[in-house]
Amino acid sequence: MEKRNREARRYLRAIRGWLPCAGKMKGQMLGNIQSSLDEFLSEKPDADYQALVDRFGTPQQIASTYVDEAETGELLRLLRVRRKVVSIISAVAAALVLTWAAYVTIELVCDAYDAQTSYVNVTITEVERTPLD
């Protein structure tokens, strides 16, 4: 029983990684797939990952089937949302890199300025010469 659940979870995780849809829709699709898996595993409890792939197809094939059956408008919307998310993450990463570069540059300039404008206090102490006899 434990092996069966582990193999099914592994298979579902692989499918989840390939599906290009949003969370709610992905959850519905995975629920349908889970039902089919449970049915299959009740008939063949010793089925391993390869048996699941043989019966249902690879995770990539399942995702491909979804893309083929999905409406064009829905796919374009999903791609647009994904593009926005990637753009936002890229912009935040670029801002962080630029902020870090500015900070490092300012520190280097301040250190160089301090090195040029600093002065050294020198104390000269006069020592009397005493002859050695």
Side-chain angles (χ1 to χ4, degrees):
M1 185 85 168
E2 179 65 29
K3 178 185 175 192
R4 164 175 123 176
N5 290 336
R6 186 174 60 233
E7 296 295 328
R9 283 193 307 264
R10 184 173 147 223
Y11 187 68
L12 281 174
R13 273 195 309 273
I15 294 170
R16 182 182 297 123
W18 282 98
L19 288 175
C21 55
K24 186 176 181 181
M25 185 180 293
K26 188 181 283 191
Q28 291 172 347
M29 290 187 64
L30 290 172
N32 293 340
I33 295 168
Q34 177 71 52
S35 299
S36 299
L37 285 174
D38 289 342
E39 243 179 70
F40 177 73
L41 291 173
S42 67
E43 296 170 8
K44 297 188 180 197
D46 294 335
D48 61 354
Y49 186 87
Q50 188 57 45
L52 296 174
V53 169
D54 292 341
R55 170 66 174 92
F56 298 102
T58 65
Q60 295 91 335
Q61 290 170 333
I62 292 173
S64 175
T65 301
Y66 164 77
V67 169
D68 289 343
E69 292 176 359
E71 293 180 16
T72 304
E74 177 66 16
L75 287 175
L76 291 175
R77 186 186 68 75
L78 293 173
L79 291 173
R80 199 169 36 248
V81 167
R82 182 171 282 177
R83 188 173 34 237
K84 283 180 185 178
V85 169
V86 168
S87 297
I88 290 170
I89 290 172
S90 298
V92 169
L96 289 172
V97 168
L98 289 174
T99 302
W100 174 79
Y103 175 77
V104 169
T105 303
I106 290 170
E107 284 294 315
L108 290 174
V109 168
C110 288
D111 288 346
Y113 179 77
D114 288 344
Q116 288 178 349
T117 60
S118 63
Y119 57 91
V120 178
N121 285 331
V122 177
T123 305
I124 300 175
T125 306
E126 196 172 308
V127 179
E128 287 186 27
R129 287 181 132 199
T130 54
L132 293 174
D133 288 332

